[in-house]
Each structure stands twice: as structure tokens, then as C-alpha cells.
Amino acid sequence: MLGIDVLLAQYFENHLDDHFGTAVRRKIKDRLFERYGLSLQQSLQQFDIFEKVLSEFFGNASKGVLKNLFESVCTVKKQKSNKKQKSSFIEVRDETLANFILSTYGDNDKKAILSVATETALTLPEILRKSSLPTSSGYRVFNSLLKEGLITEISDSSEKSEKARFKSTIKEIKVSLAGTKLEIAIFFSKEALRGSRVLATVAPNLTITT
């Protein structure tokens, strides 16, 4: 269940030079390929591998480096959902990521698939049927969303069925205007939050509501 990590990987990569410099970035890239046969973006999607290599270069400071990298793209915040509990959400800082999210949910076909799989994990045939999209275009849109990290495959050991089930990575988006600045808050599904190695590393105290 790597939806969040896949979604954020390309935007982390865009900020690597700012944080590490070109020379260090190249050394990290070479080490990843030499040891694991992975590109930078592939390792960012499999975040524990990127974390291991980063610790070779920065030692105990690697956790702070990772947090700074994460916060150049987005920040974790909390919103009070009731008197006793606060729910965590992600506030987008990277403009490219913000535009990508808005354009995705502005696409009627993509929104149709994401909407039907927001509350309940469904099989691919169920998603296509409920979204009312033609089968050929439905498959194409679904595969695009899965590749982009906006659909998460759900693993449930209690399920006897061997059919894969999928759920939207994002549960809710809130867009607001602060002065002239557009603010985007993303509430991820609990399954996506639990499966994210990125958030486990940079936000270990994240509140996951049931």
C-alpha cells in the first residue's frame, strides 16, 4: 500500500538539488543504483531504501534531512474533529503538486473513479461498473491513477477472496483562500496513511482516525 509514497516521490525528487546540492545528489543516485539497482524516484517510492542510503551520507542527521525534504513539499497539520480527537491532514506547499491534485479532480473521468472508491475498497470490475465509464477508457484512467499513487491497493488478511481491492488514496480535499494564496489540505484514507513509510518516518505521531 504505497499510494502516498508514490504520489509524493516525484515532488521530493524535484527538491533534492536544493537540499543536497548537485554533487551529493549524484553520489546518492549512484549508490542507489550500485547497491539496489534503483533510480532515485524508484527509491523514493520505496522510501525505506532511500532512507538507508541517506543515512550512509548523513548518519544520525538523516531523519532531520528527510523531514526538511518532506516539508519543502507539504506539512502535517491537525484539525479538531471532535472534543477528544484531532485528525491529521497534509497541507500542500509544492505548487506543482497542488496543480496536479486540482487538475486530477477537475478531470471528470478521474474524479468518477476516485469518488466511487473513496469510502469502500472495491475490485477493479466494481470500480468500473460504479463509475459508469466505458471499459476501455476506464482501464486506462484507473491504471493512470494507480501509477500516480492516487489509487491504493488494499491488503486485507481477513479477506478470503484473492481479488485485489483498491481505494482512493485521498479521502477528502479542502481548498481555501488565505489572502491571495490558495491553500490545499489533503485528508488521506486511513489505509494509505498506515501504509506510508514516508509519513512513518517524518511524522511518527500522525493521528490516524478510524
Side-chain angles (χ1 to χ4, degrees):
M1 298 193 298
L2 299 174
I4 293 174
D5 297 359
V6 172
L7 173 62
L8 297 179
Q10 62 180 304
Y11 303 99
F12 288 152
E13 186 173 7
N14 293 342
H15 290 270
L16 289 179
D17 281 352
D18 294 337
H19 287 271
F20 304 146
T22 304
V24 174
R25 180 184 189 273
R26 189 178 297 116
K27 289 179 180 178
I28 292 171
K29 180 181 178 181
D30 291 344
R31 183 66 58 85
L32 284 164
F33 188 77
E34 172 190 301
R35 182 161 295 184
Y36 300 101
L38 296 176
S39 67
L40 262 173
Q41 187 161 150
Q42 287 172 324
S43 72
L44 286 163
Q45 292 178 5
Q46 302 174 45
F47 198 70
D48 55 332
I49 293 176
F50 181 75
E51 188 179 1
K52 286 178 184 177
V53 170
L54 210 64
S55 66
E56 294 181 28
F57 288 85
F58 296 99
N60 293 333
S62 62
K63 296 285 186 184
V65 172
L66 286 170
K67 187 173 182 181
N68 288 338
L69 177 61
F70 175 83
E71 290 183 347
S72 65
V73 176
C74 49
T75 56
V76 176
K77 295 193 173 183
K78 290 187 177 182
Q79 171 182 274
K80 187 177 290 187
S81 53
N82 56 49
K83 292 182 179 180
K84 295 182 179 180
Q85 195 174 42
K86 292 183 178 181
S87 58
S88 295
F89 67 94
I90 304 300
E91 186 175 272
V92 178
R93 285 186 169 179
D94 183 277
E95 185 177 347
T96 309
L97 173 57
N99 290 335
F100 169 72
I101 295 294
L102 291 175
S103 65
T104 295
Y105 279 83
D107 182 294
N108 290 333
D109 288 351
K110 289 183 177 182
K111 187 176 180 180
I113 286 181
L114 293 169
S115 296
V116 301
T118 297
E119 296 298 332
T120 306
L122 302 171
T123 64
L124 177 52
E126 288 172 333
I127 290 173
L128 296 179
R129 177 171 54 81
K130 288 176 178 289
S131 68
S132 300
L133 293 177
T135 301
S136 57
S137 60
Y139 273 111
R140 176 180 51 79
V141 173
F142 172 85
N143 286 327
S144 174
L145 292 169
L146 186 64
K147 184 179 179 181
E148 292 164 343
L150 289 166
I151 289 285
T152 300
E153 183 172 354
I154 305 300
S155 300
D156 188 348
S157 58
S158 66
E159 288 285 345
K160 294 182 180 180
S161 173
E162 295 181 358
K163 291 183 179 179
R165 305 180 81 83
F166 303 91
K167 195 172 183 181
S168 297
T169 303
I170 295 174
K171 183 178 181 180
E172 183 183 4
I173 295 174
K174 292 185 178 180
V175 180
S176 58
L177 195 62
T180 58
K181 183 182 177 184
L182 199 66
E183 294 185 343
I184 299 178
I186 300 175
F187 294 79
F188 290 111
S189 73
K190 63 179 184 294
E191 293 88 353
L193 289 171
R194 287 171 179 156
S196 173
R197 179 61 192 171
V198 171
L199 292 177
T201 300
V202 302
N205 297 319
L206 189 78
T207 302
I208 301 177
T209 56
T210 56

